[in-house]
Every structure is written in structure tokens, then in C-alpha cells.
Amino acid sequence: MKTTTPFGADEYLNESAMVRMAGYFDDLATGKTQVPRQSVRTRIPDRIADSEVLKYHDLVVERAGPLFTHFLASVPCILEEMSRVGVALERLVQSSHDAPKRVFGFYEVDAFDGTNGRALATYSQGKIKTLTSSPNQANQQHFDRFADPERSQFCPQSFLRIDAGVLREETSFPEFREGFDFIYETAAFQFYGQDREQQIGHVSKLLKPDGLIFFLEKLNHPDQAVYELRERAKDDLHKLHYFTPEEVAWKRNQMLTQMHNGQVEFDVLLRAIRSQFAHVYLLWNSTNFYEFVASNDADRIARFVSILGLPAIPAEFCFEADLPRKLA
């Protein structure tokens, strides 16, 4: 796949934490470090009433690469949330008036080895085809190991190098040439800096006019004490199931400072999203992680939210009420 740098200079990419931490990400992607000491599966199956969400969950965990498994072990209940969203997207697709004659496109922004995208393509039986980008080429071996090449594709590049021209030149998945029905940012922007308006402005050009775009981000908080309280909940009540105290402390010291430098606060992200999209919902919160969905199609986003239902997350991790709720 031929790629360019659509906005900014190459220096923007080269100076990012995504590049500076490339060696660390490579170690995670190849399973050399920070490997969970037990398998990562939902610990709250009794709270998931929808058997289809559990079915999707199984597709994720059975075919996850090392870096995505590390991610699941690091973020409380993100596994349950991605399963909920995946099932809702498939149901949204099936409810579309033109569903019998359409194939839908889903783009994961810098999403590890494409575990979630691959699960969605499999779960939808190819009704939703997926593209995953990742600048960490070590992820591709795990993508290739599990992916159905007729349904999912991997681009070993930063999202910054993917634009409409790249999609038009891509021949193996012609469905992507006119853009995507769904885009999901998997906590990627924070590794490139804080300029969310430029980042969102870039990826939004790849979205169809009636498409849905999701933002999963770890956010800063104006009160540092609140931020640290949520971090302790994440570390003590979730991560310690999978990592030793020494591993948790090491990651906090070595990696989280870099992540924190690229994070933004809730209002900053919301303002950037609203600069491109008329309708925004907050779907989910887990400690300092938040998930939003946005669109310029009021009917489609409202239909998706109605299909989505309520999140499955214990109170000790969730610090927001009335989820999902409309923000704009």
C-alpha cells in the first residue's frame, strides 16, 4: 500500500512517542515483556445478559496477539466494551435498508494487530470488512496468523500516512475507496501529541457522510488527585490480576509519562470532536479512559445508541453517570 504523510511534516511523526517508544512497543508485540500471567477474559460474565456479546468476546480473546492482550489486561472492561460495540455495529448493519446489497467498511486507527477488527469481520461474516493500521510492523505477524484476507487487511503504517488517495489506489478492497462507514480510534492519538483537531480532522476525511467515528482515549483530569485515584483503581483492581506489582510500577515509570504528555482533558477532546461532527455521545468510562461516538447523521447515530444498550462495568471503575448520554 503506497502511503504519504497527509498533514504536517515527517518530523511530526518522527518526533512522536509512537516512534520514540518503538522498541518498547516491539517488545510488547512480540511477547518479550509485560506478558499477562493469566489469560485475559471477562471477570463479570454474570453482568453480560446478551449471549451475542459473549460470543464476540470469545472471538476476541481466542485470536488476540500479545500487544492487544496486554492492552486488555491494562484497561478495565475494555474487552467487554469492544464486544458490546462490535455486536451493536453488526446489528446496525443488518437493520440498514440496503443491507442485502452492501458491504460496510471499518477502519481501526493504529490498532495493534487488528484483533478487534478481525473479530468484527468474522462475527459479521464479512458483511463488515476491516482495515487496521499500525506503525509497529511486529504486529503484522499476528494479524496474518489469524486474519481472513478476504475480510480484513493490515497496513503497517501510521494513520498519518493513510489518506483518501491511498484508499483510492488500494485495489484488493475496493469497498474502502469511497471511505469508511465506521472508524475506531484505539487510544492512538495520545502517542502523537495533543493536537486533536488536526488528528480528528485528518481521519474524519476518511469517513462517509453518514458514518460513525469512535474515539477511545485516556484523558487527563484538571484535578491531579482525581486522576491518580482513578489510576490506582485501574492498577490495584484490574492490572494486578495480570501483572506483578513490580511490572505495574515499571510501566508507570517508563511509559505512562510519555502517554500522559500526549493526553488531553475531556473538554479539549470534546471541542475537537465537535469541530467536525454535529452529534456526539459519551458511551463508556473506565477510570481515566473514555469512549465517544460521533457523526453528522443524527438518525444513524441515535439508532446505533439505541441498539447499543448499557455498558457492563463495575462501579469501582466507572466515574460517569447516565451512560450512554448525548453531549452535543
Side-chain angles (χ1 to χ4, degrees):
M1 181 180 281
K2 182 181 177 182
T3 57
T4 58
T5 307
F7 78 83
D10 283 339
E11 286 78 7
Y12 178 85
L13 176 59
N14 293 334
E15 293 175 4
S16 70
M18 186 67 80
V19 171
R20 292 198 309 271
M21 299 171 67
Y24 176 74
F25 287 127
D26 187 81
D27 286 346
L28 290 174
T30 54
K32 294 179 181 177
T33 188
Q34 293 272 313
V35 178
R37 57 187 174 185
Q38 60 177 300
S39 61
V40 183
R41 302 185 70 88
T42 183
R43 301 200 309 278
I44 54 168
D46 56 311
R47 298 191 183 205
I48 303 175
D50 190 337
S51 62
E52 290 300 307
V53 173
L54 291 171
K55 179 179 176 181
Y56 191 101
H57 160 283
D58 291 345
L59 287 174
V60 171
V61 299
E62 290 167 4
R63 301 176 184 178
L67 183 50
F68 193 78
T69 300
H70 174 89
F71 171 68
L72 298 179
S74 300
V75 183
C77 295
I78 188 58
L79 171 58
E80 294 84 349
E81 178 58 14
M82 286 187 162
S83 300
R84 178 177 75 130
V85 169
V87 170
L89 286 176
E90 194 275 341
R91 288 172 175 165
L92 179 69
V93 162
Q94 295 298 341
S95 70
S96 300
H97 70 278
D98 55 352
K101 55 186 178 182
R102 270 190 73 183
V103 173
F104 295 74
F106 175 90
Y107 170 41
E108 294 183 293
V109 177
D110 287 11
F112 316 106
D113 62 285
T115 297
N116 189 43
R118 291 187 279 101
L120 180 59
T122 299
Y123 180 77
S124 68
Q125 297 183 330
K127 193 66 179 173
I128 303 174
K129 292 189 176 182
T130 67
L131 172 68
T132 302
S133 62
S134 173
N136 184 341
Q137 296 189 17
N139 283 310
Q140 185 158 9
Q141 62 178 307
H142 302 290
F143 177 91
D144 292 342
R145 177 184 175 192
F146 293 113
D148 178 348
E150 298 298 318
R151 297 174 174 175
S152 296
Q153 183 176 1
F154 185 88
C155 179
Q157 295 283 356
S158 163
F159 83 96
L160 296 175
R161 299 188 181 279
I162 299 176
D163 63 5
V166 170
L167 297 179
R168 284 193 298 269
E169 294 174 6
E170 174 55 40
T171 57
S172 61
F173 278 61
E175 295 87 355
F176 297 164
R177 293 176 188 167
E178 301 303 318
F180 296 94
D181 299 277
F182 313 115
I183 295 177
Y184 198 105
E185 181 235 339
T186 313
F189 292 161
Q190 65 195 35
F191 293 103
Y192 292 96
Q194 295 185 333
D195 51 347
R196 292 295 185 272
E197 289 199 11
Q198 283 197 75
Q199 294 163 336
I200 293 172
H202 170 61
V203 297
S204 67
K205 294 174 183 177
L206 307 179
L207 189 69
K208 292 180 180 179
D210 63 348
L212 303 179
I213 185 167
F214 298 80
F215 303 96
L216 173 67
E217 300 228 355
K218 187 176 185 182
L219 299 180
N220 289 336
H221 194 282
D223 186 334
Q224 186 63 23
V226 172
Y227 182 90
E228 291 298 331
L229 174 69
R230 298 181 181 192
E231 285 294 279
R232 288 196 297 273
K234 170 178 61 68
D235 292 347
D236 297 346
L237 302 177
H238 180 72
K239 293 182 68 173
L240 285 178
H241 285 277
Y242 305 107
F243 305 106
T244 66
E246 293 76 18
E247 287 174 320
V248 172
W250 183 88
K251 183 176 180 181
R252 176 182 282 264
N253 293 332
Q254 297 296 319
M255 182 178 181
L256 297 187
T257 298
Q258 294 280 3
M259 293 171 59
H260 188 274
N261 290 340
Q263 293 167 196
V264 298
E265 292 183 8
F266 187 104
D267 290 345
V268 173
L269 178 59
L270 180 59
R271 187 161 56 246
I273 297 172
R274 292 180 67 179
S275 71
Q276 298 289 332
F277 300 100
H279 310 284
V280 186
Y281 286 78
L282 176 62
L283 299 181
W284 177 84
N285 160 248
S286 174
T287 63
N288 287 308
F289 288 86
Y290 286 76
E291 181 190 44
F292 304 79
V293 65
S295 180
N296 284 317
D297 189 311
D299 292 338
R300 197 173 198 201
I301 194 171
R303 190 163 76 253
F304 169 77
V305 171
S306 69
I307 293 171
L308 182 64
L310 300 176
I313 184 165
E316 58 265 30
F317 298 125
C318 187
F319 294 83
E320 293 285 341
D322 302 322
L323 297 175
R325 71 173 184 267
K326 190 170 186 179
L327 300 176

